Amino acid sequence: MTRFLAGVAAGAVICAWAGAALAADLPGKFEGVTVDAKLIGGQQYEALYARIAEWEKATGAKVNVLSKKNHFELDKEIKSDIATGNITWCVGSNHSSFAPQYPDIYTDLSALLPKEEIDAFVPANIASSTLDGKLVMLPRAQFDVSALYYQKSLYEGDAKKAAFKEKYGYDLAPPDTWQQVADQAVFFANPPDFYGTQYAGKEEAINGRFYEMLVAEGGDYLDADGKPAFNSDAGVRALDWFVNLYKAKAVPVGTTNYLWDDLGQGFASGTIAVNLDWPGWASFFNDPKSSKVAGNVGVKVQPAGSSGKRTGWSGHHGFSVTESCASKDAAASLVWFLTNEDSQKLESSAGPLPTRTAVWDYNIQQAESDAYRKEVLTAFQEAAKHAFAVPQTPAWIEISNAVYPELQAAILGDKTSKEALDAAAEKATQILEDAGAL
């Protein structure tokens, strides 16, 4: 994470905000104003949303939450609003993977918030939140790159270790390569009661996982000319990893219908051996109130593919304010409040990675006396060194929507990996041509 943090320091909060108030006056007063919002939903986000009542009390305004959906469903709803000219709401959850699709509907937050507040964020997160010179979203403490969670007790026992070494020829230990993950997933699996691993199998989730595995196998999603290049030998190796685990029944049969909440609940149920997942689940997995594996969770840097590169599909969540919002100052205040230091300390205490420099420093200090939290931070700091964004094309989500059914077809055995990737590449090429990108 050093490269993300270098050269940044939170400045004194002293400059003008929105041309009138001082940053020290945030969150401001907005008596009688109602801010309509469309937010990402999910158990891991509710603690932050509980702070909305604090903002309402401080400002005199009200927040009317119109939607709480996962980003895939929220994306569809926003696109429907654009198509029908129905952008009547003010604040929306956003994500660095989704933002390039609709930058025009969001206002420039740098014109509404003090520069010192924006400078307090990790520069890389601000850079990827800025499109065509506009800061279209303010990052929240949800910087996402995945590391590997595993059940520590599975790596104990002399008989088990001997059986594994006899079968695979190397010592049983938490995996450092994706081939080792595949070996161990098959070794540990005992369907239908226990599975070696799992993966999200639909929408952008499986396309993103395929993308990062492709990179780890030495491939490219788009070539230097922006043409789809994933139907390569590296692409086949990447997709075969998912296919072979499904064939071996080392993953749950329903995995092609899973999204992130399904994975989190699955690992917490104690029925999954190793699980590539986001930092936001770290606290949930180690809490005996929510997890059967609490006290038995290990966390380490994500594994490497055959190229030696580690997977590292990454992005971050944020909040945006619409251009059509009649109360932009109030909306920007809410966005600031949900991403300020207190909010980021709250969110990141449960495991998610912060996007404010000072909160990174705070969390590292806090973790000194918490062995598990220190392990989590260490693993995800290392994971962040290998992070890479999705291809920077506005068509990424549209391409994902066309590609993922083909990936599913290969996983389910309806097509070979090569057949599925060739069909997916043809669809992706058509999308890019229709968009004038090729």
Side-chain angles (χ1 to χ4, degrees):
M1 186 53 68
T2 303
R3 63 178 176 159
F4 291 116
L5 303 184
V8 180
V13 186
I14 53 174
C15 80
W17 174 57
L22 297 178
D25 295 333
L26 285 169
K29 292 291 183 181
F30 307 100
E31 294 288 346
V33 172
T34 296
V35 176
D36 289 337
K38 294 195 172 187
L39 306 177
I40 185 172
Q43 185 171 3
Q44 65 268 45
Y45 309 121
E46 288 304 316
L48 176 65
Y49 297 156
R51 291 207 76 210
I52 290 175
E54 296 179 44
W55 181 82
E56 291 176 325
K57 183 177 180 180
T59 64
K62 296 293 181 184
V63 177
N64 179 30
V65 178
L66 300 175
S67 299
K68 270 190 187 179
K69 299 178 178 178
N70 67 49
H71 260 142
F72 307 112
E73 294 302 318
L74 200 59
D75 175 62
K76 295 172 185 175
E77 185 172 309
I78 291 171
K79 286 174 179 172
S80 176
D81 289 346
I82 293 171
T84 59
N86 194 34
I87 308 293
T88 57
W89 40 276
C90 280
V91 170
S93 286
N94 209 341
H95 191 281
S96 54
S97 291
F98 290 80
Q101 300 176 105
Y102 27 65
D104 293 341
I105 72 169
Y106 293 124
T107 198
D108 184 0
L109 289 169
S110 65
L112 295 169
L113 294 169
K115 181 178 183 298
E116 284 81 359
E117 280 298 302
I118 295 168
D119 288 346
F121 287 84
V122 174
N125 293 132
I126 290 296
S128 57
S129 300
T130 302
L131 301 175
D132 297 328
K134 290 170 55 180
L135 180 61
V136 298
M137 67 172 170
L138 208 59
R140 63 189 286 182
Q142 289 283 345
F143 169 55
D144 281 339
V145 64
S146 293
L148 198 71
Y149 297 90
Y150 59 92
Q151 292 196 42
K152 292 188 291 186
S153 61
L154 293 173
Y155 295 89
E156 301 170 355
D158 291 340
K160 186 189 303 180
K161 290 178 181 179
F164 182 86
K165 189 164 186 177
E166 181 178 356
K167 183 173 182 179
Y168 294 102
Y170 62 91
D171 291 334
L172 178 62
D176 195 54
T177 70
W178 284 110
Q179 182 57 54
Q180 291 172 0
V181 172
D183 292 344
Q184 293 180 19
V186 173
F187 180 77
F188 289 133
N190 183 29
D193 301 316
F194 194 83
Y195 295 94
T197 190
Q198 58 183 350
Y199 48 81
K202 66 178 183 179
E203 304 194 42
E204 190 215 15
I206 183 60
N207 190 42
R209 288 296 188 223
F210 164 73
Y211 161 61
E212 65 179 336
M213 192 69 78
L214 169 71
V215 171
E217 289 298 315
D220 294 310
Y221 200 91
L222 302 178
D223 65 18
D225 297 320
K227 297 178 181 178
F230 51 75
N231 55 332
S232 59
D233 289 344
V236 171
R237 290 196 301 273
L239 183 50
D240 278 349
W241 186 90
F242 299 92
V243 171
N244 291 339
L245 285 174
Y246 190 84
K247 285 181 179 178
K249 298 183 180 179
V251 298
V253 68
T255 199
T256 51
N257 289 314
Y258 284 6
L259 287 174
W260 308 125
D261 281 359
D262 303 295
L263 300 186
Q265 295 293 343
F267 186 71
S269 74
T271 62
I272 304 294
V274 296
N275 180 48
L276 183 73
D277 220 327
W278 309 106
W281 289 103
S283 179
F284 185 85
F285 290 155
N286 209 44
D287 184 348
K289 295 178 181 178
S290 56
S291 173
K292 293 182 179 179
V293 294
N296 187 34
V297 182
V299 194
K300 64 172 294 182
V301 66
Q302 68 271 36
S306 64
S307 72
K309 295 179 181 177
R310 297 187 186 275
T311 52
W313 170 37
S314 70
H316 66 273
H317 296 234
F319 296 103
S320 300
V321 174
T322 60
E323 287 282 15
S324 59
C325 178
S327 305
K328 287 188 178 70
D329 286 355
S333 169
L334 175 62
V335 166
W336 166 82
F337 190 83
L338 293 175
T339 60
N340 67 15
E341 282 197 23
D342 288 341
S343 289
Q344 294 222 357
K345 286 177 180 177
L346 172 66
E347 278 208 284
S348 61
S349 68
L353 306 183
T355 54
R356 280 180 174 262
T357 306
V359 182
W360 264 107
D361 296 339
Y362 171 82
N363 286 348
I364 291 169
Q365 292 173 357
Q366 294 295 111
E368 286 301 318
S369 60
D370 184 334
Y372 176 73
R373 181 70 174 139
K374 188 173 183 178
E375 181 179 357
V376 168
L377 280 173
T378 299
F380 279 101
Q381 279 190 299
E382 184 65 22
K385 296 177 183 177
H386 307 282
F388 48 84
V390 301
Q392 292 302 293
T393 169
W396 167 251
I397 295 299
E398 187 177 359
I399 289 172
S400 288
N401 290 338
V403 168
Y404 89 77
E406 297 296 337
L407 303 179
Q408 287 180 325
I411 292 167
L412 295 172
D414 297 330
K415 293 183 179 181
T416 67
S417 291
K418 179 60 173 171
E419 289 170 345
L421 292 176
D422 283 344
E426 185 176 344
K427 292 178 180 179
T429 299
Q430 187 63 57
I431 289 169
L432 291 167
E433 287 178 347
D434 290 346
L438 293 178

